[in-house]
Amino acid sequence: MRIEKRLPVPSGTKRAMAWYATPTEALAGELQTDLSVGLNADEATRRQAQEGPNALPDAPPPSLLKLFLSQFSSLIVWVLIGAAIVSGLLEDWIDAAAILAIVFLNGVLGFVQEFRAERSLAALRKMSVAMARVIRGGVLQSIPARELVTGDVIALEAGDRIPADVRLFYTTNFQSQEASLTGESTPVHKQAERLDTAEVPLADQHNMVFMGTVAVSGKARGLVVATGLGTELGRIAAMIQKAAEAERAETPLQRRLEQFGQTLLWLALGVVTVVFTLGYLRGEPLVEMFLTSVSLAVAAVPEGLPAVVTITLALGVTRMAKRHALIRKLPAVETLGSATVICTDKTGTLTKNEMTVTHVIMDNVHFEVTGEGYEPSGEIRPSPVSHSPSPLPAGIHHLLTTSVLCNGAALRQENGVWQIIGDPTEGALLVAAAKAGLTKDELERRAPFVREVPFDAERKMMTIVRRTEQGLVAYCKGAPDVLLNRCTGRVTLEGRTEALDEAHRQLISEANASLAQQALRVLGVAYKPIGQPASSDEEVEHDLFFLGLLAMKDPLRPEAAEAVRLCRDAGIRTAMITGDHKETAIAIARELGLHHDEGVALSGAELDGLTDEQLTQRVECVSVYARVSAEHKLRIVEAWKRNGAVVAMTGDGVNDAPAIKAADIGVAMGIAGTDVTKEAADMVVTDDNFASIAAAVEEGRGVFDNIRKTVHFLLSCNVSEVLVMLFATLFGLPLPLLPIHILWMNLVTDGFPALALAVDPKAPDLMRQPPRQAQARLLDGGRLWAIAGEGLMLSVIALGAFWCSLFMWKQPIEQARTVAFTVMVAAQLVHVFNCRSDRWSLFQMGVTTNHALIWAVVLSVALQVGILTIPFMEPIFKVAPLPIEDWELMVAMALLPLAIVEAVKWFQRRASARLQKSQGDQ
């Protein structure tokens, strides 16, 4: 089949050419690239400018106009607009204009809140960038997948999400899951050879992998043949209508709030009916009572609460991002605050993920490796040092050479920083060899790659066959116990080969156990000259010559132990899950303070011996799991959930995805995590640090706490406004507040201060409180009574000021209403400081610790003073000039809420202290 030679470009909805039929040797020519070196930087830049980014178009963001108009879609807003229309028909133009102006300002406030939330979430989505490993200019590097172009040579391995349509030219045990594209439920085995058939269905193109599918096993290399809309996925995406705005998921908290608001609305309508009926029977003007009743309905229901919740969640998500926790699913913010168990991986999460070889054992002689991290500075010397031969023995050189030639990682220096591309364990071997002067580039030049038998969980070893001057040689590394069973010979320190007898097997096994007990990861290294190509992988990996042991340590993160302690103080259990030996896992857990004498550690084999019921009974006692599989992790999560726990599960590998998906909060590692794991997760930890998970739990608790503060504040203010009007009507008093006053309070006291509570600093004892129950009500009985009491307090203060002005000082009704109106505004602005904590005094927390709240109150006070002192505002807001004695009264009464609530908190703390003392004495 003749294929026209051209540079492919994205082709919209057109199907790409038959790359599966192109012979391997012709691929580079067709795509004008080099299979071993890849594209150079200039050519890649030119192609990217021509082809555009390797990405599918995002759904269009919501229209700003639609976002603005959506603020006026609630029933309450239309009731207000109806009230303005009625006022206009009655030629009360000032009231009509004022109501519409405040409705408009409320709409603007909601629009700004939602716009900021959308922008924050959009910025966070951009942070989650899919990466691809590509060879450019002969160097393996990791780049954003959107920068791929046709002709790029990419490397793939298990767990990777395929970033483009790729024609494979090298595979080893490579399989991909293509269910999302073809409907094929089982993984598809891939090959590098061309397909002879002219027309091959997509599901049968076994030398192709496609954007959006997932690599599930093995390794492969291939050429990018289509990007973006030119891919098979892009062709499908182009046929899907994207005009409709994507529906945003509503969080459970928002649903609870809306249900709560609807219940409150019916209660408010009952109160409004009573107020309207009594006012009408007393002879109050019908229009005025109608407007008052409508205003009361608005005052009673915090219609702006869903928008406040959205901005609170968005701000919390942004704060989490600054602490290296990227929230992918908004409900996770709520769930994090109620987490009771964190099942965490060890490597890279509790540790630094900078594996460092610390010991080498060969021929029963121990060598110490100095230096830490990825910088190849240090030396390899016998322990004790006094017996140090110089130079290093030939056997050690052989061992280190094997560890480099059986290695898929790369050691690079970028901007003065040494980095590992690939597996950290393999990287540690490269660093150790570099300390002895052995570099991978030079060794691979003398021993070219032939084929690979990749690592898998069943064999627990890997092998790479290379062509050397002595012929084909298999270089192997893996778990020492597994590797030792496949060895029949050994290499001495001087480099001689001899039979491996039982005594030396025992010495190697004892050395391995001794190193493992020191919390070290141990790898065995072996080799085998095979002369001619072996007929099978099994044949290659038998009758090996054992070289020695390499022991390495992934040092603990300095903040990990403190983060574990913080979680323990917060009532959160931490369980460590690792693939290491049980002894290694226990040693590290002890160092972290996770495992004590009364604790239990289980291995994967021991888990297999437990039924689900037995595991459910024992899971609360187990702090360490070692040598576990994906199935084990899933069982652990499900056992905790059966006990009623709220489980956060961390992971980085594709095998972690089922457990992460099953957990209440799935947490993926941002650096080491595979794309599959990140997709399954609710949260991505961008620095792979356990302390970031603990910080995210703290932020989650803070977000829920701040939402509860906001609800508490808004409802107590709304209740006070309703009670003022209800009591005045019941006691036959003139109406203390007019509709315009209530609407203004909704904007001033329910707007800016409520938003400022969303960024209130966390309480000092937030992480010393037990986790809240997942199904706990937003407002429990105690808090509802507090809201009712505080609403009553505020209403009594406002009515007291109204009574003093009207009856004691015999001031006109306009002046008395102005006093009541201003006292209510000021008292609510002071009351917002009470709502910062139900346990701590304001002075314990610090008056000025929430700068946003201070500025919100200052702004609200300035606006209130403005409408009282600017002459043209008087007829609009129906206020009157006030003498100095009224100002003194307003200041004194406005401070009463703070004094009363502080006194109540003081008595509560005294009572709690007495109760604790009496319990201690008993």
Side-chain angles (χ1 to χ4, degrees):
M1 173 177 169
R2 183 176 176 275
I3 301 176
E4 182 183 357
K5 185 173 180 178
R6 61 181 176 84
L7 179 66
V9 297
S11 53
T13 60
K14 293 175 63 178
R15 190 175 293 276
M17 65 184 294
W19 292 106
Y20 55 82
T22 309
T24 302
E25 57 275 10
L27 282 173
E30 293 287 349
L31 293 168
Q32 301 173 21
T33 186
D34 187 292
L35 296 182
S36 57
V37 177
L39 299 172
N40 59 47
D42 292 340
E43 177 63 16
T45 302
R46 187 188 71 79
R47 294 191 185 190
Q48 189 171 15
Q50 177 183 352
E51 301 172 7
N54 174 38
L56 301 181
D58 291 329
S63 158
L64 294 182
L65 179 60
K66 286 184 179 179
L67 194 62
F68 180 68
L69 293 178
S70 69
Q71 307 305 316
F72 306 95
S73 59
S74 70
L75 175 64
I76 291 297
V77 171
W78 283 105
V79 170
L80 279 174
I81 293 173
I85 293 172
V86 170
S87 298
L89 292 174
L90 296 174
E91 298 185 352
D92 190 353
W93 303 113
I94 293 178
D95 271 0
I99 293 172
L100 288 176
I102 291 177
V103 167
F104 178 78
L105 288 174
N106 271 314
V108 169
L109 181 62
F111 169 77
V112 170
Q113 291 169 356
E114 293 202 14
F115 178 72
R116 288 185 61 188
E118 289 288 340
R119 191 170 58 181
S120 296
L121 294 174
L124 291 170
R125 282 193 292 267
K126 289 180 181 177
M127 289 174 60
S128 182
V129 178
M131 304 299 288
R133 289 178 298 124
V134 60
I135 298 174
R136 285 187 179 171
V139 178
L140 179 65
Q141 52 190 286
S142 185
I143 66 170
R146 63 181 289 110
E147 296 179 9
L148 286 175
V149 297
T150 52
D152 264 329
V153 178
I154 67 171
L156 300 169
E157 60 183 27
D160 288 343
R161 179 162 287 280
I162 310 302
D165 284 4
V166 178
R167 166 67 158 88
L168 303 175
F169 63 81
Y170 161 76
T171 63
T172 174
N173 292 342
F174 189 72
Q175 291 182 306
S176 67
Q177 177 60 266
E178 299 180 345
S180 60
L181 191 65
T182 66
E184 178 65 46
S185 59
T186 57
V188 180
H189 184 78
K190 295 295 181 178
Q191 64 185 52
E193 294 76 18
R194 69 183 289 264
L195 304 178
D196 293 329
T197 311
E199 292 293 332
V200 179
L202 201 65
D204 296 329
Q205 294 178 16
H206 296 320
N207 57 6
M208 296 282 298
V209 287
F210 305 99
M211 174 187 273
T213 59
V214 179
V216 295
S217 68
K219 294 183 179 182
R221 290 195 177 186
L223 278 172
V224 174
V225 297
T227 61
L229 284 174
T231 63
E232 289 295 330
L233 190 63
R235 188 181 67 84
I236 296 171
M239 293 187 285
I240 299 173
Q241 178 151 11
K242 293 183 178 289
E245 182 178 355
E247 183 180 352
R248 289 174 296 176
E250 189 180 51
T251 71
L253 179 60
Q254 285 175 314
R255 286 195 294 271
R256 287 198 295 269
L257 288 172
E258 287 185 4
Q259 292 166 0
F260 185 76
Q262 290 172 3
T263 303
L264 194 63
L265 174 60
W266 288 109
L267 293 174
L269 287 176
V271 175
V272 165
T273 302
V274 172
V275 171
F276 179 83
T277 303
L278 291 176
Y280 176 73
L281 293 175
R282 286 178 47 217
E284 297 285 352
L286 186 63
V287 173
E288 185 173 310
M289 289 310 303
F290 170 74
L291 291 174
T292 300
S293 300
V294 169
S295 300
L296 272 180
V298 176
V301 180
E303 70 278 359
L305 194 55
V308 173
V309 169
T310 300
I311 195 68
T312 305
L313 290 172
L315 290 171
V317 166
T318 305
R319 286 198 302 272
M320 289 182 183
K322 291 178 180 177
R323 299 183 73 175
H324 309 290
L326 176 62
I327 301 297
R328 294 188 64 249
K329 300 173 184 177
L330 206 56
V333 180
E334 304 165 27
T335 315
L336 273 168
S338 57
T340 58
V341 178
I342 300 176
C343 298
T344 177
D345 194 16
K346 175 186 72 69
T347 305
T349 308
L350 296 169
T351 60
K352 295 175 68 176
N353 200 20
E354 292 184 359
M355 295 296 294
T356 304
V357 174
T358 57
H359 295 83
V360 178
I361 298 181
M362 184 176 192
D363 203 8
N364 207 32
V365 177
H366 291 240
F367 290 79
E368 177 187 1
V369 184
T370 63
E372 285 189 357
Y374 293 150
E375 184 175 354
S377 60
E379 60 177 334
I380 301 173
R381 59 193 185 192
S383 179
V385 179
S386 56
H387 297 101
S388 175
S390 184
L392 285 174
I396 293 293
H397 275 279
H398 194 170
L399 184 154
L400 294 173
T401 298
T402 299
S403 71
V404 171
L405 293 178
C406 181
N407 201 305
L411 178 63
R412 298 278 184 264
Q413 189 177 26
E414 296 181 9
N415 301 321
V417 178
W418 288 92
Q419 297 180 343
I420 293 296
I421 299 175
D423 183 80
T425 300
E426 293 190 320
L429 303 180
L430 298 183
V431 175
K435 292 174 181 178
L438 301 172
T439 63
K440 188 176 185 182
D441 290 343
E442 177 61 23
L443 291 175
E444 287 187 337
R445 186 184 62 79
R446 295 185 303 199
F449 177 91
V450 176
R451 72 186 184 95
E452 176 180 353
V453 185
F455 177 89
D456 65 48
E458 292 183 5
R459 289 172 31 258
K460 296 182 181 177
M461 64 178 292
M462 71 171 288
T463 299
I464 292 181
V465 179
R466 295 182 178 274
R467 191 176 305 280
T468 70
E469 294 178 354
Q470 292 77 35
L472 294 179
V473 177
Y475 297 98
C476 312
K477 71 175 187 295
D481 49 349
V482 172
L483 204 63
L484 198 58
N485 289 335
R486 296 172 179 261
C487 292
T488 56
R490 72 182 187 95
V491 179
T492 66
L493 201 60
E494 295 76 23
R496 300 189 310 272
T497 58
E498 58 183 47
L500 179 61
D501 56 29
E502 197 57 39
H504 280 96
R505 284 184 188 274
Q506 185 64 29
L507 288 173
I508 294 169
S509 297
E510 290 174 358
N512 178 38
S514 174
L515 293 169
Q517 288 173 357
Q518 301 172 45
L520 298 174
R521 177 175 293 181
V522 188
L523 283 179
V525 180
Y527 88 109
K528 174 185 178 181
I530 56 178
Q532 298 300 318
S535 60
S536 68
D537 293 345
E538 278 295 312
E539 185 180 341
V540 169
E541 294 182 336
H542 274 87
D543 299 325
L544 306 175
F545 288 91
F546 193 84
L547 283 160
L549 301 172
L550 291 149
M552 60 198 75
K553 183 176 183 179
D554 185 4
L556 288 179
R557 289 182 179 271
E559 63 274 18
E562 174 62 20
V564 169
R565 185 199 62 77
L566 185 68
C567 288
R568 185 167 56 248
D569 291 347
I572 302 170
R573 294 283 305 276
T574 303
M576 188 179 81
I577 300 176
T578 178
D580 285 337
H581 284 92
K582 187 175 178 179
E583 295 79 9
T584 306
I586 290 174
I588 293 173
R590 288 186 187 280
E591 193 175 349
L592 283 165
L594 275 178
H595 189 75
H596 306 283
D597 292 339
E598 66 276 9
V600 176
L602 291 179
S603 67
E606 290 167 330
L607 276 173
D608 288 333
L610 297 177
T611 65
D612 288 344
E613 291 72 21
Q614 290 171 328
L615 179 59
T616 301
Q617 293 171 1
R618 297 188 60 183
V619 69
E620 294 187 5
C621 302
V622 183
S623 56
V624 177
Y625 298 91
R627 289 293 196 191
V628 294
S629 66
E631 292 77 10
H632 295 143
K633 293 180 180 182
L634 184 59
R635 288 187 64 200
I636 293 166
V637 169
E638 291 174 342
W640 273 112
K641 291 180 72 173
R642 282 194 293 271
N643 282 343
V646 178
V647 186
M649 174 72 197
T650 77
D652 55 12
V654 65
N655 62 328
D656 296 325
I660 284 178
K661 198 73 175 176
D664 297 287
I665 310 147
V667 182
M669 300 296 104
I671 299 172
T674 61
D675 292 336
V676 179
T677 311
K678 293 174 188 175
E679 274 199 8
D682 303 294
M683 182 176 88
V684 178
V685 179
T686 57
D687 63 349
D688 291 14
N689 193 339
F690 181 80
S692 297
I693 302 172
V697 171
E698 183 180 12
E699 290 293 345
R701 288 188 175 191
V703 164
F704 187 85
D705 209 26
N706 285 351
I707 290 174
R708 190 158 53 184
K709 293 175 191 177
T710 303
V711 175
H712 185 137
F713 169 66
L714 290 174
L715 289 185
S716 58
C717 291
N718 293 347
V719 167
S720 70
E721 294 161 14
V722 171
L723 291 179
V724 163
M725 304 300 287
L726 179 61
F727 290 156
T729 305
L730 291 175
F731 297 145
L733 297 174
L735 293 179
L737 301 172
L738 297 177
I740 190 69
H741 300 156
I742 296 175
L743 293 171
W744 175 254
M745 282 189 288
N746 281 346
L747 177 66
V748 174
T749 62
D750 294 2
F752 306 124
L755 280 176
L757 280 179
V759 295
D760 200 43
K762 294 178 286 292
D765 62 345
L766 185 65
M767 288 298 280
R768 293 195 294 274
Q769 298 296 316
R772 64 179 176 85
Q773 296 297 316
Q775 303 303 321
R777 293 161 55 190
L778 182 65
L779 302 174
D780 55 23
R783 194 172 288 268
L784 286 173
W785 279 111
I787 288 171
E790 291 164 7
L792 178 63
M793 171 190 68
L794 293 173
S795 65
V796 169
I797 290 171
L799 279 174
F802 179 70
W803 188 86
C804 287
S805 175
L806 188 63
F807 296 108
M808 287 185 62
W809 297 340
K810 307 300 182 182
Q811 293 176 337
I813 184 63
E814 293 79 8
Q815 200 167 315
R817 280 175 177 158
T818 304
V819 169
F821 169 40
T822 305
V823 166
M824 180 66 88
V825 169
Q828 289 181 355
L829 291 176
V830 170
H831 179 56
V832 73
F833 292 97
N834 293 328
C835 296
R836 292 187 59 192
S837 175
D838 56 353
R839 301 184 305 275
W840 293 82
S841 163
L842 173 64
F843 304 102
Q844 288 176 306
M845 298 186 66
V847 178
T848 60
T849 50
N850 187 342
H851 294 154
L853 185 58
I854 297 293
W855 285 111
V857 170
V858 168
L859 176 60
S860 298
V861 169
L863 291 171
Q864 182 67 18
V865 171
I867 67 172
L868 293 177
T869 57
I870 299 173
F872 75 84
M873 290 287 193
E874 291 181 11
I876 297 175
F877 287 92
K878 294 182 173 58
V879 293
L882 299 176
I884 187 65
E885 59 266 22
D886 282 346
W887 286 96
E888 292 172 350
L889 173 69
M890 290 188 299
V891 170
M893 300 201 77
L895 293 175
L896 280 177
L898 181 61
I900 293 170
V901 173
E902 283 293 320
V904 171
K905 289 180 181 178
W906 183 82
F907 281 112
Q908 287 177 338
R909 288 196 299 273
R910 287 289 301 271
S912 177
R914 287 198 192 98
L915 180 61
Q916 290 178 358
K917 186 176 184 302
S918 65
Q919 289 175 344
D921 293 341
Q922 294 174 0

